[in-house]
Amino acid sequence: MNEYRIKGLSCAGCAQRIEDEIKGLQHGQDAKLSYNSGKLTLSSDVSMAEVKRILKSDGAYIANAHDHDHSGEHGDHHGHDHSHAEGNSRMLMLLIGSGVIYAAALLLEGVLDQQALILLFLLATVISGYTTFIRGLKNLFKLVFNIDTLMTIALIGAIAIGEWKEATLVAILFGLNELLEGYGMEKARRSMETLLQVAPKEAIKLEQGQELIVPIASLQVGDLVKIKPGEKIPSDGVVSDGRSSVNEAAITGESLPVEKESGEPVYGGSINNEGMLIVRIEKAYKDSSLAKILHLVQEAQETKTPTELFINKFAKYYTPLIMLIAAIVMVVPPLFFQGEWMGSLYQGLSVLIVGCPCALILSSPIAIVSGITRTARNGILVKGGVFLEQLGKIDTLAFDKTGTLTKGEPHVAQIEVYDEKRFFSIAGAIESTSSHPLAKAIMKEVKRKGVTLPVTDEIKTLSGSGIQARIDGQPYWLGNEKSIGHLSIPDSVQARINQMKEDGLTLVLVADDQYVLGLFGIADEIREESRAVIASLHQLGIKHTVMLTGDHPKTAEKVAAAVGVSDYYGGLLPEDKVNRVKELSTQGTVAMIGDGINDAPALASAQLGIAMGKGTDSAIETADIVLMQDHLGKLPEAVSVAKRVNRIIKFNIIVALGLKVIALLLTIPGWLTLWIAILSDMGATIFVTLVSLTILIDSKSLRKN
């Protein structure tokens, strides 16, 4: 399949019609044209001469081309293209010329004779409206009724009844409407393209002591690359040498730089700030985080939401209905109510112009593209407009615990010491030999105490209970309750053990051959932002927040209370999580968020799956939305943007239809004129475009400024 960037698409309806015509060509059945992204995908077997002919008949053209099979070479796909700017500039110049001629004709009224005035009006009409007129005539002969067809009929009718002045104004205002409509969609697309330009094109590869400048697509796993200060890291890898801070905003949306040194992972597309770094490539570019982000964002533009699909279907029946209403307005008053034919004909032509569904069709796509772009800037990847719309509708959010609400890293939550002199030093001496996560948590606490560690003479692992060691000739035990089975535990110590277990803590006990020296109560550390995130989600209208975990119910209860979720379920297997999600789905619209491979089934079964970006590949592949941060901090903003997009789309639809209804009602007293009709259509189009583009504006940054 080949991909082509298309310019000159005047509306979503035109894009759909072009797609249908291309599908009718030989080998064209799989063709797909997205108005939102301006991208045409089709088989290499399709006749390009025929495709260009179809595009040209609608005033569209191929701006640049690239082959889908070379999708690894993203750097070549997003070079800035000025063709759209040239097209808009040309249209603007034509409109200015037309406007000057129209103004001159108005000023010279009464000076020039009627024929000269008509010639000026006709010239102004042709300059600003000839492209619409040609397209409309072609559609009329094909019996295709769309915006261009309606405008062409209206222009012919206005000229036929001698309304030269208003016919010219209609042509100019419609041309201006198309120009502004194009600017609006182009602004949304340009914002998206700017986002996609984060991919570096080349890298400095180190090979046998030589520095070679190579395309990033040629980099292989294991290659060493040199990144100078201010340069972009070409692909995911690990720092082999050097130290610097790295700006990962393009990937995670986090503005603060992250310190990197030898052994630290780095993302492709992030920017090296001040030091020199040598990075060992861990993933070929096409498999890197950045390539996945660019691919997901591009794909996201091309999916249609249920609202868009409904509007397109509605517009399909709406245009013929408007033509029927216009015919009734033209014919019924003169035939049955002694109305004037010329007046009724004029009113009917005005109805045709009011019927242009520009604003209605535009009410959704600009808002959707703006919303996807805005969330992507924050490191939140929405895989399609349908998922953005769904995110704005959720009322229940289910969370995995480990790695989502918690860090997935054990830490010492409580300590009970009975022998201050030996407890920390013995625990440190034994655990220093282990790489177990619990050992790491204990060692962090021991180091914080700054105690000197003795040398272990002998160490032995006890299956299912812990470790036995000999230090300075004396035996010691470290582990769970089974490891101290040789002791008679005092009631006070047993009571403390029971209390810590009740608190949902994992216990590590240290003892010699006679006494318990102390206890470590270990828990999965709760993320600092979790409670604030849950509170923000509740404020945004998420009625039900649920935690699903495989951990012990007591641990689940403690974490749930700490973070503020409205409900929790513990001791769940992956299939149990799926069943809970399905159960919740019967009560509302459910999103599931998780980071582990065991969360993938639940993510897939939820109406909306959200994955933590630093989680497993399977969770990211399964999810509909990906948070590229290693925390939930940006989730409330994503929900807020999604809700705002949905509100704006509804508002746009109400405005678009409302203005048309008001204009149509003006036909009853006979007040509707051609220029009022075009102004109502143009006003609605400009309004919905500007309102949709406000989604791109970050209100927080505005407040800071």
Side-chain angles (χ1 to χ4, degrees), residues 353 389 510 531:
I353 295 171
E389 192 173 280
V510 182
R531 187 168 189 85

Side-chain angles (χ1 to χ4, degrees), residues 26-49:
Q26 190 174 7
H27 308 295
Q29 61 272 14
D30 296 324
K32 186 177 178 184
L33 177 59
S34 167
Y35 176 62
N36 290 12
S37 62
K39 191 170 80 175
L40 171 65
T41 307
L42 45 77
S43 167
S44 54
D45 297 326
V46 176
S47 166
M48 287 309 298

Side-chain angles (χ1 to χ4, degrees), residues 453-502:
L453 303 182
V455 178
T456 54
D457 303 327
E458 182 186 321
I459 194 160
K460 182 171 67 174
T461 301
L462 305 174
S463 180
S465 61
I467 298 171
Q468 184 180 348
R470 189 169 289 277
I471 300 172
D472 295 332
Q474 186 171 351
Y476 291 95
W477 286 261
L478 179 146
N480 57 28
E481 285 181 88
K482 292 179 185 176
S483 69
I484 58 168
H486 60 286
L487 296 180
S488 176
I489 302 172
D491 290 343
S492 59
V493 175
Q494 188 61 57
R496 188 70 183 113
I497 289 172
N498 294 342
Q499 181 58 54
M500 290 172 83
K501 284 166 70 177
E502 279 289 311

Side-chain angles (χ1 to χ4, degrees), residues 197-212:
Q197 286 169 3
V198 297
K201 290 183 175 65
E202 297 174 327
I204 302 172
K205 181 181 173 183
L206 301 179
E207 194 172 284
Q208 298 176 348
Q210 299 290 315
E211 293 184 5
L212 305 173

Side-chain angles (χ1 to χ4, degrees), residues 148-161 163 167 170 330 348-353 356 674:
D148 297 325
T149 318
L150 294 181
M151 291 304 299
T152 299
I153 294 170
L155 281 174
I156 292 171
I159 290 169
I161 63 174
E163 293 289 346
V170 165
M330 289 178 188
L349 294 174
S350 301
V351 169
L352 281 181
I353 295 171
C356 291
L674 288 173

Side-chain angles (χ1 to χ4, degrees), residues 357-375:
C358 305
L360 185 64
I361 292 171
L362 265 189
S363 59
S364 181
I366 296 179
I368 290 291
V369 173
S370 299
I372 291 170
T373 305
R374 173 71 186 279
T375 53

